[in-house]
PDB file of all heavy atoms in Angstrom:
ATOM      1  N   ARG A  98     -21.459   5.754   6.974  1.00  0.00           N
ATOM      2  CA  ARG A  98     -21.368   6.516   5.878  1.00  0.00           C
ATOM      3  C   ARG A  98     -20.049   6.211   5.053  1.00  0.00           C
ATOM      4  O   ARG A  98     -19.896   6.280   3.828  1.00  0.00           O
ATOM      5  CB  ARG A  98     -21.566   7.990   6.084  1.00  0.00           C
ATOM      6  CG  ARG A  98     -21.432   8.810   4.858  1.00  0.00           C
ATOM      7  CD  ARG A  98     -22.013  10.211   4.952  1.00  0.00           C
ATOM      8  NE  ARG A  98     -22.044  10.881   3.746  1.00  0.00           N
ATOM      9  CZ  ARG A  98     -22.219  12.084   3.651  1.00  0.00           C
ATOM     10  NH1 ARG A  98     -22.457  12.824   4.676  1.00  0.00           N
ATOM     11  NH2 ARG A  98     -22.231  12.756   2.440  1.00  0.00           N
ATOM     12  N   PHE A  99     -18.946   5.920   5.747  1.00  0.00           N
ATOM     13  CA  PHE A  99     -17.615   5.834   5.223  1.00  0.00           C
ATOM     14  C   PHE A  99     -17.079   4.311   5.553  1.00  0.00           C
ATOM     15  O   PHE A  99     -16.190   4.195   6.441  1.00  0.00           O
ATOM     16  CB  PHE A  99     -16.565   6.768   5.727  1.00  0.00           C
ATOM     17  CG  PHE A  99     -17.065   8.208   5.310  1.00  0.00           C
ATOM     18  CD1 PHE A  99     -17.816   9.048   6.196  1.00  0.00           C
ATOM     19  CD2 PHE A  99     -16.683   8.790   4.054  1.00  0.00           C
ATOM     20  CE1 PHE A  99     -18.095  10.333   5.788  1.00  0.00           C
ATOM     21  CE2 PHE A  99     -17.033  10.117   3.815  1.00  0.00           C
ATOM     22  CZ  PHE A  99     -17.783  10.809   4.540  1.00  0.00           C
ATOM     23  N   PRO A 100     -17.686   3.335   4.973  1.00  0.00           N
ATOM     24  CA  PRO A 100     -17.314   1.963   5.360  1.00  0.00           C
ATOM     25  C   PRO A 100     -15.871   1.498   5.106  1.00  0.00           C
ATOM     26  O   PRO A 100     -15.383   0.703   5.672  1.00  0.00           O
ATOM     27  CB  PRO A 100     -18.289   1.078   4.521  1.00  0.00           C
ATOM     28  CG  PRO A 100     -18.648   1.976   3.310  1.00  0.00           C
ATOM     29  CD  PRO A 100     -18.634   3.334   3.890  1.00  0.00           C
ATOM     30  N   ASP A 101     -15.241   2.277   4.140  1.00  0.00           N
ATOM     31  CA  ASP A 101     -13.710   2.039   3.811  1.00  0.00           C
ATOM     32  C   ASP A 101     -12.890   2.567   4.784  1.00  0.00           C
ATOM     33  O   ASP A 101     -11.723   2.294   4.742  1.00  0.00           O
ATOM     34  CB  ASP A 101     -13.525   2.435   2.474  1.00  0.00           C
ATOM     35  CG  ASP A 101     -14.323   1.592   1.348  1.00  0.00           C
ATOM     36  OD1 ASP A 101     -14.602   0.582   1.651  1.00  0.00           O
ATOM     37  OD2 ASP A 101     -14.508   2.251   0.322  1.00  0.00           O
ATOM     38  N   VAL A 102     -13.339   3.437   5.628  1.00  0.00           N
ATOM     39  CA  VAL A 102     -12.451   4.052   6.661  1.00  0.00           C
ATOM     40  C   VAL A 102     -12.479   3.358   7.877  1.00  0.00           C
ATOM     41  O   VAL A 102     -13.454   2.893   8.344  1.00  0.00           O
ATOM     42  CB  VAL A 102     -12.996   5.527   7.034  1.00  0.00           C
ATOM     43  CG1 VAL A 102     -12.211   6.158   8.113  1.00  0.00           C
ATOM     44  CG2 VAL A 102     -12.934   6.410   5.721  1.00  0.00           C
ATOM     45  N   ARG A 103     -11.286   3.077   8.367  1.00  0.00           N
ATOM     46  CA  ARG A 103     -11.179   2.465   9.753  1.00  0.00           C
ATOM     47  C   ARG A 103     -11.155   3.364  10.855  1.00  0.00           C
ATOM     48  O   ARG A 103     -10.439   4.422  10.977  1.00  0.00           O
ATOM     49  CB  ARG A 103      -9.742   1.660   9.925  1.00  0.00           C
ATOM     50  CG  ARG A 103      -9.575   0.901  11.118  1.00  0.00           C
ATOM     51  CD  ARG A 103      -8.292   0.230  11.173  1.00  0.00           C
ATOM     52  NE  ARG A 103      -8.130  -0.363  12.442  1.00  0.00           N
ATOM     53  CZ  ARG A 103      -6.956  -0.897  12.951  1.00  0.00           C
ATOM     54  NH1 ARG A 103      -5.823  -0.781  12.076  1.00  0.00           N
ATOM     55  NH2 ARG A 103      -6.740  -1.452  14.132  1.00  0.00           N
ATOM     56  N   PHE A 104     -12.186   3.222  11.805  1.00  0.00           N
ATOM     57  CA  PHE A 104     -12.395   4.137  12.841  1.00  0.00           C
ATOM     58  C   PHE A 104     -11.894   3.406  14.202  1.00  0.00           C
ATOM     59  O   PHE A 104     -12.232   2.243  14.389  1.00  0.00           O
ATOM     60  CB  PHE A 104     -13.881   4.536  13.057  1.00  0.00           C
ATOM     61  CG  PHE A 104     -14.423   5.434  12.025  1.00  0.00           C
ATOM     62  CD1 PHE A 104     -14.937   4.983  10.797  1.00  0.00           C
ATOM     63  CD2 PHE A 104     -14.356   6.755  12.067  1.00  0.00           C
ATOM     64  CE1 PHE A 104     -15.396   5.728   9.774  1.00  0.00           C
ATOM     65  CE2 PHE A 104     -14.889   7.686  11.191  1.00  0.00           C
ATOM     66  CZ  PHE A 104     -15.333   7.095  10.006  1.00  0.00           C
ATOM     67  N   ILE A 105     -11.292   4.116  14.962  1.00  0.00           N
ATOM     68  CA  ILE A 105     -10.674   3.692  16.299  1.00  0.00           C
ATOM     69  C   ILE A 105     -11.241   4.586  17.375  1.00  0.00           C
ATOM     70  O   ILE A 105     -11.048   5.803  17.237  1.00  0.00           O
ATOM     71  CB  ILE A 105      -9.226   3.630  16.357  1.00  0.00           C
ATOM     72  CG1 ILE A 105      -8.715   2.755  15.300  1.00  0.00           C
ATOM     73  CG2 ILE A 105      -8.706   3.094  17.701  1.00  0.00           C
ATOM     74  CD1 ILE A 105      -7.193   2.696  15.142  1.00  0.00           C
ATOM     75  N   ALA A 106     -11.833   4.055  18.451  1.00  0.00           N
ATOM     76  CA  ALA A 106     -12.344   4.862  19.534  1.00  0.00           C
ATOM     77  C   ALA A 106     -11.228   4.777  20.738  1.00  0.00           C
ATOM     78  O   ALA A 106     -11.169   3.548  21.270  1.00  0.00           O
ATOM     79  CB  ALA A 106     -13.700   4.418  19.883  1.00  0.00           C
ATOM     80  N   SER A 107     -10.787   5.892  21.157  1.00  0.00           N
ATOM     81  CA  SER A 107      -9.987   5.804  22.417  1.00  0.00           C
ATOM     82  C   SER A 107     -10.815   6.045  23.615  1.00  0.00           C
ATOM     83  O   SER A 107     -11.679   6.967  23.538  1.00  0.00           O
ATOM     84  CB  SER A 107      -8.911   6.898  22.259  1.00  0.00           C
ATOM     85  OG  SER A 107      -8.095   6.840  23.327  1.00  0.00           O
ATOM     86  N   ASP A 108     -10.533   5.295  24.670  1.00  0.00           N
ATOM     87  CA  ASP A 108     -11.309   5.599  25.871  1.00  0.00           C
ATOM     88  C   ASP A 108     -10.991   6.831  26.641  1.00  0.00           C
ATOM     89  O   ASP A 108     -11.683   7.402  27.457  1.00  0.00           O
ATOM     90  CB  ASP A 108     -11.140   4.399  26.880  1.00  0.00           C
ATOM     91  CG  ASP A 108     -11.744   3.023  26.240  1.00  0.00           C
ATOM     92  OD1 ASP A 108     -12.757   3.207  25.533  1.00  0.00           O
ATOM     93  OD2 ASP A 108     -11.250   1.994  26.614  1.00  0.00           O
ATOM     94  N   THR A 109      -9.833   7.356  26.321  1.00  0.00           N
ATOM     95  CA  THR A 109      -9.275   8.546  26.975  1.00  0.00           C
ATOM     96  C   THR A 109      -8.645   9.516  25.854  1.00  0.00           C
ATOM     97  O   THR A 109      -8.371   8.980  24.760  1.00  0.00           O
ATOM     98  CB  THR A 109      -8.194   8.336  27.895  1.00  0.00           C
ATOM     99  OG1 THR A 109      -7.055   7.617  27.368  1.00  0.00           O
ATOM    100  CG2 THR A 109      -8.738   7.311  29.063  1.00  0.00           C
ATOM    101  N   ASN A 110      -8.634  10.744  26.200  1.00  0.00           N
ATOM    102  CA  ASN A 110      -7.950  11.652  25.334  1.00  0.00           C
ATOM    103  C   ASN A 110      -6.346  11.448  25.416  1.00  0.00           C
ATOM    104  O   ASN A 110      -5.790  11.973  26.410  1.00  0.00           O
ATOM    105  CB  ASN A 110      -8.306  13.110  25.693  1.00  0.00           C
ATOM    106  CG  ASN A 110      -7.851  14.198  24.539  1.00  0.00           C
ATOM    107  OD1 ASN A 110      -6.996  13.830  23.836  1.00  0.00           O
ATOM    108  ND2 ASN A 110      -8.436  15.357  24.665  1.00  0.00           N
ATOM    109  N   LEU A 111      -5.808  10.951  24.362  1.00  0.00           N
ATOM    110  CA  LEU A 111      -4.463  10.537  24.436  1.00  0.00           C
ATOM    111  C   LEU A 111      -3.530  11.790  24.087  1.00  0.00           C
ATOM    112  O   LEU A 111      -2.371  11.696  24.357  1.00  0.00           O
ATOM    113  CB  LEU A 111      -4.100   9.422  23.440  1.00  0.00           C
ATOM    114  CG  LEU A 111      -4.878   8.125  23.643  1.00  0.00           C
ATOM    115  CD1 LEU A 111      -4.696   7.162  22.449  1.00  0.00           C
ATOM    116  CD2 LEU A 111      -4.373   7.430  24.920  1.00  0.00           C
ATOM    117  N   GLY A 112      -4.091  12.867  23.540  1.00  0.00           N
ATOM    118  CA  GLY A 112      -3.378  13.870  23.099  1.00  0.00           C
ATOM    119  C   GLY A 112      -2.937  13.619  21.594  1.00  0.00           C
ATOM    120  O   GLY A 112      -3.071  12.352  21.127  1.00  0.00           O
ATOM    121  N   PHE A 113      -2.547  14.598  20.892  1.00  0.00           N
ATOM    122  CA  PHE A 113      -2.312  14.532  19.434  1.00  0.00           C
ATOM    123  C   PHE A 113      -1.101  13.434  19.191  1.00  0.00           C
ATOM    124  O   PHE A 113      -1.165  12.675  18.292  1.00  0.00           O
ATOM    125  CB  PHE A 113      -1.951  15.841  18.937  1.00  0.00           C
ATOM    126  CG  PHE A 113      -1.864  15.880  17.340  1.00  0.00           C
ATOM    127  CD1 PHE A 113      -2.912  15.812  16.522  1.00  0.00           C
ATOM    128  CD2 PHE A 113      -0.552  15.935  16.779  1.00  0.00           C
ATOM    129  CE1 PHE A 113      -2.765  15.876  15.253  1.00  0.00           C
ATOM    130  CE2 PHE A 113      -0.422  16.008  15.364  1.00  0.00           C
ATOM    131  CZ  PHE A 113      -1.569  16.049  14.494  1.00  0.00           C
ATOM    132  N   SER A 114       0.038  13.603  19.921  1.00  0.00           N
ATOM    133  CA  SER A 114       1.198  12.814  19.692  1.00  0.00           C
ATOM    134  C   SER A 114       0.950  11.315  19.958  1.00  0.00           C
ATOM    135  O   SER A 114       1.219  10.408  19.086  1.00  0.00           O
ATOM    136  CB  SER A 114       2.390  13.226  20.501  1.00  0.00           C
ATOM    137  OG  SER A 114       2.719  14.632  20.208  1.00  0.00           O
ATOM    138  N   ARG A 115       0.385  10.953  21.146  1.00  0.00           N
ATOM    139  CA  ARG A 115       0.274   9.670  21.403  1.00  0.00           C
ATOM    140  C   ARG A 115      -0.718   8.970  20.545  1.00  0.00           C
ATOM    141  O   ARG A 115      -0.603   7.750  20.172  1.00  0.00           O
ATOM    142  CB  ARG A 115      -0.328   9.430  22.849  1.00  0.00           C
ATOM    143  CG  ARG A 115       0.675   9.701  23.949  1.00  0.00           C
ATOM    144  CD  ARG A 115       0.186   9.445  25.321  1.00  0.00           C
ATOM    145  NE  ARG A 115      -0.227   8.150  25.493  1.00  0.00           N
ATOM    146  CZ  ARG A 115      -1.053   7.649  26.449  1.00  0.00           C
ATOM    147  NH1 ARG A 115      -1.526   8.494  27.387  1.00  0.00           N
ATOM    148  NH2 ARG A 115      -1.349   6.448  26.614  1.00  0.00           N
ATOM    149  N   ALA A 116      -1.801   9.613  20.146  1.00  0.00           N
ATOM    150  CA  ALA A 116      -2.784   9.100  19.180  1.00  0.00           C
ATOM    151  C   ALA A 116      -2.272   8.754  17.876  1.00  0.00           C
ATOM    152  O   ALA A 116      -2.455   7.708  17.355  1.00  0.00           O
ATOM    153  CB  ALA A 116      -3.973  10.086  19.127  1.00  0.00           C
ATOM    154  N   ASN A 117      -1.403   9.693  17.312  1.00  0.00           N
ATOM    155  CA  ASN A 117      -0.845   9.353  16.014  1.00  0.00           C
ATOM    156  C   ASN A 117       0.175   8.378  16.056  1.00  0.00           C
ATOM    157  O   ASN A 117       0.228   7.429  15.263  1.00  0.00           O
ATOM    158  CB  ASN A 117      -0.115  10.659  15.530  1.00  0.00           C
ATOM    159  CG  ASN A 117      -1.097  11.672  14.768  1.00  0.00           C
ATOM    160  OD1 ASN A 117      -1.507  11.295  13.734  1.00  0.00           O
ATOM    161  ND2 ASN A 117      -1.285  12.842  15.306  1.00  0.00           N
ATOM    162  N   ASN A 118       0.917   8.266  17.156  1.00  0.00           N
ATOM    163  CA  ASN A 118       1.901   7.191  17.278  1.00  0.00           C
ATOM    164  C   ASN A 118       1.331   5.906  17.353  1.00  0.00           C
ATOM    165  O   ASN A 118       1.831   4.907  16.856  1.00  0.00           O
ATOM    166  CB  ASN A 118       2.828   7.480  18.533  1.00  0.00           C
ATOM    167  CG  ASN A 118       3.805   8.525  18.320  1.00  0.00           C
ATOM    168  OD1 ASN A 118       4.097   9.004  17.231  1.00  0.00           O
ATOM    169  ND2 ASN A 118       4.377   8.979  19.401  1.00  0.00           N
ATOM    170  N   LEU A 119       0.252   5.716  18.010  1.00  0.00           N
ATOM    171  CA  LEU A 119      -0.510   4.485  18.221  1.00  0.00           C
ATOM    172  C   LEU A 119      -0.986   4.095  16.819  1.00  0.00           C
ATOM    173  O   LEU A 119      -0.884   2.828  16.502  1.00  0.00           O
ATOM    174  CB  LEU A 119      -1.669   4.698  19.064  1.00  0.00           C
ATOM    175  CG  LEU A 119      -2.646   3.566  19.351  1.00  0.00           C
ATOM    176  CD1 LEU A 119      -1.976   2.372  20.001  1.00  0.00           C
ATOM    177  CD2 LEU A 119      -3.941   3.918  20.048  1.00  0.00           C
ATOM    178  N   VAL A 120      -1.533   4.967  16.009  1.00  0.00           N
ATOM    179  CA  VAL A 120      -2.160   4.556  14.668  1.00  0.00           C
ATOM    180  C   VAL A 120      -0.982   4.220  13.700  1.00  0.00           C
ATOM    181  O   VAL A 120      -1.093   3.256  12.823  1.00  0.00           O
ATOM    182  CB  VAL A 120      -3.112   5.581  14.133  1.00  0.00           C
ATOM    183  CG1 VAL A 120      -3.563   5.235  12.855  1.00  0.00           C
ATOM    184  CG2 VAL A 120      -4.189   5.676  15.101  1.00  0.00           C
ATOM    185  N   VAL A 121       0.107   4.984  13.715  1.00  0.00           N
ATOM    186  CA  VAL A 121       1.205   4.644  12.649  1.00  0.00           C
ATOM    187  C   VAL A 121       1.705   3.325  12.946  1.00  0.00           C
ATOM    188  O   VAL A 121       2.039   2.709  11.939  1.00  0.00           O
ATOM    189  CB  VAL A 121       2.337   5.702  12.971  1.00  0.00           C
ATOM    190  CG1 VAL A 121       3.550   5.191  12.142  1.00  0.00           C
ATOM    191  CG2 VAL A 121       1.887   7.180  12.598  1.00  0.00           C
ATOM    192  N   GLN A 122       1.739   2.774  14.112  1.00  0.00           N
ATOM    193  CA  GLN A 122       2.216   1.353  14.328  1.00  0.00           C
ATOM    194  C   GLN A 122       1.293   0.417  13.561  1.00  0.00           C
ATOM    195  O   GLN A 122       1.775  -0.689  13.252  1.00  0.00           O
ATOM    196  CB  GLN A 122       2.221   1.040  15.898  1.00  0.00           C
ATOM    197  CG  GLN A 122       3.152   1.840  16.748  1.00  0.00           C
ATOM    198  CD  GLN A 122       4.613   1.375  16.468  1.00  0.00           C
ATOM    199  OE1 GLN A 122       4.888   0.347  16.001  1.00  0.00           O
ATOM    200  NE2 GLN A 122       5.527   2.260  16.861  1.00  0.00           N
ATOM    201  N   GLN A 123       0.118   0.829  13.368  1.00  0.00           N
ATOM    202  CA  GLN A 123      -0.860  -0.163  12.769  1.00  0.00           C
ATOM    203  C   GLN A 123      -1.070   0.190  11.217  1.00  0.00           C
ATOM    204  O   GLN A 123      -1.734  -0.505  10.560  1.00  0.00           O
ATOM    205  CB  GLN A 123      -2.314  -0.093  13.378  1.00  0.00           C
ATOM    206  CG  GLN A 123      -2.264  -0.297  14.949  1.00  0.00           C
ATOM    207  CD  GLN A 123      -3.597   0.012  15.556  1.00  0.00           C
ATOM    208  OE1 GLN A 123      -4.614  -0.268  15.086  1.00  0.00           O
ATOM    209  NE2 GLN A 123      -3.587   0.573  16.775  1.00  0.00           N
ATOM    210  N   ALA A 124      -0.403   1.177  10.752  1.00  0.00           N
ATOM    211  CA  ALA A 124      -0.642   1.608   9.290  1.00  0.00           C
ATOM    212  C   ALA A 124       0.143   0.668   8.359  1.00  0.00           C
ATOM    213  O   ALA A 124       1.197   0.219   8.771  1.00  0.00           O
ATOM    214  CB  ALA A 124      -0.041   3.056   9.237  1.00  0.00           C
ATOM    215  N   HIS A 125      -0.439   0.542   7.096  1.00  0.00           N
ATOM    216  CA  HIS A 125       0.151  -0.428   6.231  1.00  0.00           C
ATOM    217  C   HIS A 125       0.831   0.451   5.069  1.00  0.00           C
ATOM    218  O   HIS A 125       1.636  -0.242   4.170  1.00  0.00           O
ATOM    219  CB  HIS A 125      -0.771  -1.321   5.685  1.00  0.00           C
ATOM    220  CG  HIS A 125      -1.486  -2.148   6.718  1.00  0.00           C
ATOM    221  ND1 HIS A 125      -2.725  -1.916   7.160  1.00  0.00           N
ATOM    222  CD2 HIS A 125      -1.096  -3.292   7.250  1.00  0.00           C
ATOM    223  CE1 HIS A 125      -3.091  -2.951   8.017  1.00  0.00           C
ATOM    224  NE2 HIS A 125      -2.026  -3.749   8.159  1.00  0.00           N
ATOM    225  N   GLY A 126       0.688   1.652   4.955  1.00  0.00           N
ATOM    226  CA  GLY A 126       1.309   2.402   3.913  1.00  0.00           C
ATOM    227  C   GLY A 126       2.858   2.595   3.877  1.00  0.00           C
ATOM    228  O   GLY A 126       3.342   2.737   5.039  1.00  0.00           O
ATOM    229  N   ASN A 127       3.481   2.689   2.756  1.00  0.00           N
ATOM    230  CA  ASN A 127       4.844   3.066   2.824  1.00  0.00           C
ATOM    231  C   ASN A 127       5.099   4.555   3.216  1.00  0.00           C
ATOM    232  O   ASN A 127       6.029   4.900   3.904  1.00  0.00           O
ATOM    233  CB  ASN A 127       5.497   2.946   1.350  1.00  0.00           C
ATOM    234  CG  ASN A 127       5.545   1.415   0.907  1.00  0.00           C
ATOM    235  OD1 ASN A 127       5.663   0.479   1.822  1.00  0.00           O
ATOM    236  ND2 ASN A 127       5.233   1.260  -0.309  1.00  0.00           N
ATOM    237  N   PHE A 128       4.051   5.404   2.902  1.00  0.00           N
ATOM    238  CA  PHE A 128       4.025   6.765   3.373  1.00  0.00           C
ATOM    239  C   PHE A 128       2.925   6.861   4.355  1.00  0.00           C
ATOM    240  O   PHE A 128       1.945   6.300   4.074  1.00  0.00           O
ATOM    241  CB  PHE A 128       3.876   7.688   2.116  1.00  0.00           C
ATOM    242  CG  PHE A 128       5.021   7.986   1.333  1.00  0.00           C
ATOM    243  CD1 PHE A 128       5.393   7.092   0.297  1.00  0.00           C
ATOM    244  CD2 PHE A 128       5.983   9.021   1.630  1.00  0.00           C
ATOM    245  CE1 PHE A 128       6.459   7.329  -0.549  1.00  0.00           C
ATOM    246  CE2 PHE A 128       7.209   9.215   0.964  1.00  0.00           C
ATOM    247  CZ  PHE A 128       7.375   8.372  -0.343  1.00  0.00           C
ATOM    248  N   ILE A 129       2.963   7.854   5.249  1.00  0.00           N
ATOM    249  CA  ILE A 129       2.017   8.209   6.158  1.00  0.00           C
ATOM    250  C   ILE A 129       1.603   9.728   5.957  1.00  0.00           C
ATOM    251  O   ILE A 129       2.553  10.438   5.724  1.00  0.00           O
ATOM    252  CB  ILE A 129       2.216   7.912   7.630  1.00  0.00           C
ATOM    253  CG1 ILE A 129       3.496   8.683   8.102  1.00  0.00           C
ATOM    254  CG2 ILE A 129       2.341   6.502   7.897  1.00  0.00           C
ATOM    255  CD1 ILE A 129       3.693   8.713   9.558  1.00  0.00           C
ATOM    256  N   LEU A 130       0.406  10.084   5.993  1.00  0.00           N
ATOM    257  CA  LEU A 130      -0.067  11.486   5.943  1.00  0.00           C
ATOM    258  C   LEU A 130      -0.740  11.784   7.240  1.00  0.00           C
ATOM    259  O   LEU A 130      -1.927  11.282   7.335  1.00  0.00           O
ATOM    260  CB  LEU A 130      -0.910  11.705   4.718  1.00  0.00           C
ATOM    261  CG  LEU A 130      -1.447  13.163   4.609  1.00  0.00           C
ATOM    262  CD1 LEU A 130      -0.333  14.211   4.585  1.00  0.00           C
ATOM    263  CD2 LEU A 130      -2.519  13.302   3.455  1.00  0.00           C
TER     264      LEU A 130
END
Side-chain angles (χ1 to χ4, degrees):
R98 180 157 185 200
F99 298 95
D101 294 332
V102 175
R103 181 183 175 192
F104 289 88
I105 301 172
S107 175
D108 294 331
T109 59
N110 189 343
L111 301 172
F113 187 77
S114 297
R115 285 183 63 194
N117 273 294
N118 287 346
L119 176 67
V120 177
V121 169
Q122 294 287 344
Q123 305 173 37
H125 297 100
N127 295 322
F128 284 87
I129 58 168
L130 174 62

